[in-house]
Amino acid sequence: MVRVRFAPSPTGYLHIGGARTALFNWLFARHNKGVFILRIEDTDILRTDESSLESILEDLKWLGLDWDEGPNTEGNFGPYFQSQRQEIYPKYIKILFEKGYAYYCYCTPFELEQRRNLALSEHKTPGYDGRCRNLGSEEKKKYEAEGRRPAVRFKIPDEGKTEFRDLIRGEVVFDNKLLDDFVILKSGVSAVNSGRGGLPTYNFANVIDDALMEITHVIRGDEHISNTPRQILLYRALGFKEPVYVHIPLILGKDGSPLSKRHGTVSVGWYREQGFLPEALVNYLVLLGWAPDGIRQILRVEDMIKEFIIERVSKNPAIFDIDKLTWINSEYLKNMDPDKKTDLVIEYLVSSGAICSAPMSDVISDSVSEASELHRGAEKDKIKEIVNIIGDRLKIISDIETYGSFFFTDEIKYDETELSSKLSDEKVRKGLAVLKEKFASIMFDHQNIEQTVRDVARELGLKAKDIIHPLRYVLTGKTVGPSLFESIALLGREKTIARLKIGTDTIF
């Protein structure tokens, strides 16, 4: 059975690149009716953060990437937190010593840094020089008497090559001479003698966990490909069955460099907060390196699962384009049920503080409760109308603020220069004054509002647009937006008249 895993470190947010890696693993498992495992690699004690873990779990759930084994979904291969697996690793350190693949290294961090700098100054590739490989017992005793606590290194073969087949890249070959003996257990009390010791390094713990969890395919980013020959040598030294490796290309920014903060926000949580839809983000992420036919851009998850073939992932880096993501999101919103769209808008407005959630109390009387429910229903209907008139301008949920914030505030902030420019014509100022009087008595629906505005413009010898644009700015504080006359009707008579007075009084 196919068994794959996503193994984030809870030292920060879920990155867009990590989310795509998780998605490809999840799709591969679902396509092959396999198992998707979530393993938390939390051995970096100083940087591990509980809130980061919660955020990662929530983001994965929000994206719909459910795991078959992992936190809160126990299977037969746990624990699924690396910090809870520390008693497992010493056994395999001992095996490597017994087979002659491991040795103690007494070099201090200062000494290692000095040698590294020297190698760089001589234009040599920095790497461990193997000086502790063949230490005698007397030399070891001397170092231990000095209080040095050794790390454990893995002995790379002196000759030959390490080869593996990558499902995307094909045959990959590394010359063993270019690999240095790497640390598998950080400095600490001897794990062999005491059962305790320093923490295992990424390469070592990763291999042990993948082997014991019977991972069949390791699907991860290209940045890990240099770790692969070291991990394969560990697999072979321990007699474990090697997984199939799949290294997916990097995600780059538009400038061609690896996607990072300088390209904008790269955390999944930010896109969630801005009102991007999880299905739209998943749709976009799957297209970063893979497409079923190179034509379709909007894909249902069911179709992704059915058609996902890992070998068809491109070898070339993908370019992250937020404009394309926004377009995909807008396509999903266009086809969304109006009530669901309205609920998402309300949820966003509540979280941003634009409106109150006004939760119902269990202890209020039935009559008050009924009245409150009616009020909330009316408010939802009004917001639904606002969403409707904004229409296709709503590309992401947070666009409700861009195009409709004036509905949810009693205070409009004007740019004085813009306002002064809009009201510089005396006829326009007179027209707004007339409208303020006429709006008090007409039937306040968008047809009557439009007719009144056009009549006033004509009576003053103005083109309709000459008064419509200033009217929009005074009422909304914006130069563009949804249908003005429908907006005025939804804004209501009282607020409209009040803003006409405040807007004109601000400058004159």
Side-chain angles (χ1 to χ4, degrees), residues 28 55 63 117 178 191 217 226 231 268 288 302 331 334 430 436 446 455 474 486 492 498 508:
F28 186 75
S55 172
L63 290 170
N117 291 335
L178 301 179
H217 296 73
S226 61
Q231 293 176 358
V268 170
L288 291 177
E302 295 84 353
E331 290 298 301
K334 283 179 189 177
K430 182 176 180 181
K436 184 170 62 176
H446 70 88
D455 287 347
V474 168
E486 290 182 81
F508 303 100

Side-chain angles (χ1 to χ4, degrees), residues 76-245:
N76 297 323
F77 297 85
Y80 295 95
F81 286 84
Q82 214 169 57
S83 61
Q84 298 171 14
R85 299 175 63 81
Q86 296 306 302
E87 295 181 359
I88 295 172
Y89 306 121
K91 169 185 174 182
Y92 297 98
I93 294 286
K94 186 173 182 180
I95 291 173
L96 291 174
F97 268 105
E98 291 171 349
K99 288 187 172 185
Y101 287 109
Y103 63 91
Y104 288 119
C105 174
Y106 293 87
C107 299
T108 66
F110 177 72
E111 291 169 340
L112 293 171
E113 184 63 22
Q114 275 190 318
R115 291 175 212 151
R116 169 180 161 75
N117 291 335
L118 178 61
L120 289 171
S121 69
E122 296 175 348
H123 305 290
K124 296 178 181 178
T125 302
Y128 186 65
D129 57 10
R131 67 180 55 202
C132 289
R133 243 193 194 211
N134 301 304
L135 289 179
S137 58
E138 291 303 316
E139 290 173 292
K140 292 178 182 177
K141 287 179 182 178
K142 175 191 170 188
Y143 283 136
E144 288 170 4
E146 293 174 2
R148 299 197 186 202
R149 300 172 64 158
V152 178
R153 289 185 182 271
F154 181 81
K155 190 182 295 184
I156 296 285
D158 294 322
E159 303 293 336
K161 302 178 187 297
T162 300
E163 305 176 12
F164 65 95
R165 178 170 179 76
D166 186 286
L167 286 187
I168 295 175
R169 288 173 164 265
E171 294 297 327
V172 182
V173 181
F174 284 86
D175 191 329
N176 291 336
K177 289 182 179 179
L178 301 179
L179 304 174
D180 59 348
D181 294 350
F182 60 97
V183 174
I184 55 177
L185 193 71
K186 298 174 186 177
S187 298
V189 178
S190 168
V192 175
N193 295 331
S194 68
R196 298 181 294 116
L199 291 171
T201 60
Y202 164 78
N203 277 320
F204 179 70
N206 199 266
V207 166
I208 302 304
D209 291 343
D210 282 349
L212 298 184
M213 291 183 180
E214 299 181 6
I215 300 302
T216 61
H217 296 73
V218 172
I219 304 171
R220 58 189 181 185
D222 256 355
E223 67 271 21
H224 288 289
I225 200 161
S226 61
N227 292 318
T228 308
R230 296 174 172 84
Q231 293 176 358
I232 286 175
L233 289 169
L234 280 169
Y235 269 98
R236 293 172 184 174
L238 291 165
F240 289 140
K241 183 179 179 181
E242 298 168 35
V244 176
Y245 284 95

Side-chain angles (χ1 to χ4, degrees), residues 4-11 13-14 17-19 21-23 25-26 36-43 53 56-57 60 67 69-71 79-82 85 89 202 205-207 209-210 213 215 217-221 223-224 231:
V4 296
R5 50 72 173 172
F6 176 59
S9 297
T11 56
Y13 52 74
L14 180 63
T21 299
L23 173 62
N25 275 278
W26 184 83
F36 175 61
I37 299 163
L38 178 62
R39 185 174 72 227
I40 306 300
E41 298 193 340
D42 58 345
T43 54
L53 173 61
I56 290 170
L57 297 180
L60 289 172
W67 50 94
E69 297 176 22
Y80 295 95
F81 286 84
Q82 214 169 57
R85 299 175 63 81
Y89 306 121
Y202 164 78
N206 199 266
V207 166
D209 291 343
D210 282 349
M213 291 183 180
I215 300 302
H217 296 73
V218 172
I219 304 171
R220 58 189 181 185
E223 67 271 21
H224 288 289
Q231 293 176 358

Side-chain angles (χ1 to χ4, degrees), residues 273-276 326-327 329-330 333 345 348-349 386-387 390-406 408 478 481-482:
E273 291 166 3
Q274 289 300 304
F276 283 85
T326 302
W327 173 79
N329 200 81
S330 70
L333 282 174
V345 166
Y348 175 83
L349 291 170
I386 293 170
V387 171
I390 291 175
D392 292 347
R393 290 185 178 87
L394 195 73
K395 297 186 182 338
I396 58 176
I397 297 298
S398 58
D399 282 342
I400 190 67
E401 287 189 321
T402 303
Y403 296 106
S405 59
F406 61 89
F408 310 105
K478 300 177 184 296

Side-chain angles (χ1 to χ4, degrees), residues 358-366 368-369 373 376:
M360 301 298 296
S361 170
D362 293 333
V363 297
I364 58 179
S365 69
D366 291 341
V368 173
S369 174
E373 284 287 5
R376 289 169 64 185

